[in-house]
Amino acid sequence: MNSIKYLKIITLVAVLPWHMSFAGSVQGETKSFDTIIKQVNKWAVSDSTLVVMDNDDTLTMMSCPDSTNTQTCQYLGGAAWYAWQEDQITHHKKPRVTENSTDLINISGLLFSLSNMAYTRNNVAKTLNELTNKGVRLLVETARGNGNVAATEAQFSQLNISKNNSLKNLISTNSLNFNQGEIASKASPYIPCENTSMRAITYQNGVMYLAGQDKGSNLKCMLDNYNAQQGIANKITNVIFIDDTLTNVESVQQEFSHSKEYTVLALHYTALAEHKLAFTQGNKAEEYQQVAMHRWYKIKAAMELSLLDPALPE
């Protein structure tokens, strides 16, 4: 009986039209940011629509111009590499870059500061530009923590939306502003809601740094706080959330499932699914892992040499 009921629920979610006009949430799947444009056009309420994006392996990724070339495809520091190292640490397997999760977070932050990013697909910049031209606002919800703000903003500054506009500028000028401000930031870090289970987060230039915390509850809190402000011309009523991690998508869908204020489409972004699996399960997985570890050892050796024998001032 339970299996039949579960099947009916899944089928209902699969066939519900994404242009629904009622409040609540629907979950879907896509391999392209083009889906976002199509949904925005169906809703036809651009000024009241917010597109919320995950960063790593959704909006941006570590550079991989040729996925068949293990020397030019960087996994080190990326989401697949981080998940692999977490598993190596948990199960005491080698190779691993450290012995505990705290050090892994610190190493990940260091690698962010050393790495440039690329868009996950060529049409991402074009899509974001088209969305903002329609009046849609943008928000990034990243699992990165408060210590990754500078590295993330540097990466976003290096990514062009157009000849004279960067990803950082596009998001910061088309996101959620507070207290009649001109910049989409809040004094940070801060506790987002009156919920003591939430740790301090950062909101700066249209990016929420959640340090691995729940994306559904944090998004709901952010939207409620934004819409509660006095003098808001266009409150957010429609939301598209896109993330490559299914648990985050499910969290958002569940958080808004009984909402009467918001209509939410939570999309599982699968464009990089094969790319991520290639690092741990593909026929070149061992080679990718060896290259990643070799690069880490070179970075570590260079840092140790610099610290042990610093250059003398001229």
Side-chain angles (χ1 to χ4, degrees), residues 247-287:
T247 53
N248 293 334
V249 177
E250 292 172 340
S251 168
V252 170
Q253 190 276 320
Q254 292 168 10
E255 183 69 29
F256 291 89
S257 60
H258 300 294
S259 174
K260 296 180 180 180
E261 296 84 19
Y262 307 103
T263 300
V264 177
L265 172 60
L267 292 172
H268 183 209
Y269 185 62
T270 59
L272 295 190
E274 292 183 6
H275 168 77
K276 291 188 290 184
L277 282 175
F279 184 70
T280 54
Q281 299 181 28
N283 56 13
K284 291 186 176 182
E286 185 175 348
E287 187 177 352

Side-chain angles (χ1 to χ4, degrees), residues 63-83:
S63 179
C64 185
D66 181 1
S67 60
T68 65
N69 189 331
T70 57
Q71 297 300 317
T72 64
C73 192
Q74 180 181 340
Y75 280 97
L76 179 64
W81 171 85
Y82 189 92

Side-chain angles (χ1 to χ4, degrees), residues 3-292:
S3 61
I4 295 174
K5 182 179 180 181
Y6 178 76
L7 179 60
K8 287 182 178 178
I9 293 173
I10 294 298
T11 304
L12 177 62
V13 170
V15 300
L16 272 174
W18 287 358
H19 57 277
M20 71 280 192
S21 58
F22 55 85
S25 61
V26 170
Q27 184 174 316
E29 181 180 300
T30 185
K31 291 185 176 181
S32 175
F33 270 56
D34 289 341
T35 302
I36 299 174
I37 291 287
K38 293 176 182 177
Q39 183 59 49
V40 168
N41 290 338
K42 288 178 180 177
W43 277 338
V45 286
S46 299
D47 290 344
S48 298
T49 299
L50 177 71
V51 171
V52 184
M53 302 163 286
D54 168 52
N55 183 19
D56 295 294
D57 285 355
T58 301
L59 181 58
T60 71
M61 64 182 292
M62 292 294 179
S63 179
C64 185
D66 181 1
S67 60
T68 65
N69 189 331
T70 57
Q71 297 300 317
T72 64
C73 192
Q74 180 181 340
Y75 280 97
L76 179 64
W81 171 85
Y82 189 92
W84 172 60
Q85 280 297 301
E86 270 194 321
D87 185 72
Q88 298 290 90
I89 292 168
T90 300
H91 297 96
H92 306 288
K93 295 188 292 185
K94 294 184 177 180
R96 57 182 183 268
V97 298
T98 186
E99 302 301 318
N100 61 77
S101 296
T102 300
D103 285 347
L104 180 60
I105 292 172
N106 292 332
I107 290 170
S108 177
L110 170 68
L111 293 171
F112 286 145
S113 69
L114 297 174
S115 303
N116 290 327
M117 306 292 280
Y119 289 115
T120 54
R121 287 293 182 264
N122 292 333
N123 69 333
V124 171
K126 177 178 177 293
T127 300
L128 298 183
N129 200 40
E130 184 175 344
L131 286 168
T132 55
N133 286 339
K134 290 176 177 290
V136 174
R137 278 162 286 179
L138 308 176
L139 178 72
V140 175
E141 265 198 316
T142 179
R144 297 186 185 191
N146 300 316
N148 300 134
V149 175
T152 305
E153 292 198 343
Q155 291 169 343
F156 281 14
S157 295
Q158 294 295 319
L159 285 166
N160 291 329
I161 289 291
S162 60
K163 184 177 180 180
N164 299 312
N165 200 14
S166 68
L167 177 62
K168 177 188 173 183
N169 184 63
L170 185 82
I171 293 174
S172 66
T173 55
N174 293 278
S175 196
L176 303 182
N177 294 2
F178 287 84
N179 300 320
Q180 305 300 318
E182 296 180 358
I183 301 297
S185 300
K186 298 182 75 171
S188 299
Y190 68 99
I191 302 297
C193 286
E194 294 179 4
N195 182 342
T196 55
S197 66
M198 289 185 180
R199 302 189 306 275
I201 69 169
T202 291
Y203 177 60
Q204 184 162 310
N205 289 319
V207 181
M208 296 176 67
Y209 298 85
L210 301 181
Q213 297 183 85
D214 182 74
K215 291 192 175 183
S217 56
N218 274 281
L219 178 58
K220 178 67 162 50
C221 173
M222 173 66 83
L223 291 175
D224 288 348
N225 287 342
Y226 176 78
N227 283 344
Q229 295 180 104
Q230 296 294 322
I232 296 295
N234 294 294
K235 294 185 177 183
I236 299 299
T237 58
N238 292 50
V239 179
I240 299 174
F241 176 86
I242 185 166
D243 196 308
D244 70 296
T245 301
L246 182 58
T247 53
N248 293 334
V249 177
E250 292 172 340
S251 168
V252 170
Q253 190 276 320
Q254 292 168 10
E255 183 69 29
F256 291 89
S257 60
H258 300 294
S259 174
K260 296 180 180 180
E261 296 84 19
Y262 307 103
T263 300
V264 177
L265 172 60
L267 292 172
H268 183 209
Y269 185 62
T270 59
L272 295 190
E274 292 183 6
H275 168 77
K276 291 188 290 184
L277 282 175
F279 184 70
T280 54
Q281 299 181 28
N283 56 13
K284 291 186 176 182
E286 185 175 348
E287 187 177 352
Y288 282 127
Q289 293 166 14
Q290 289 175 348
V291 169

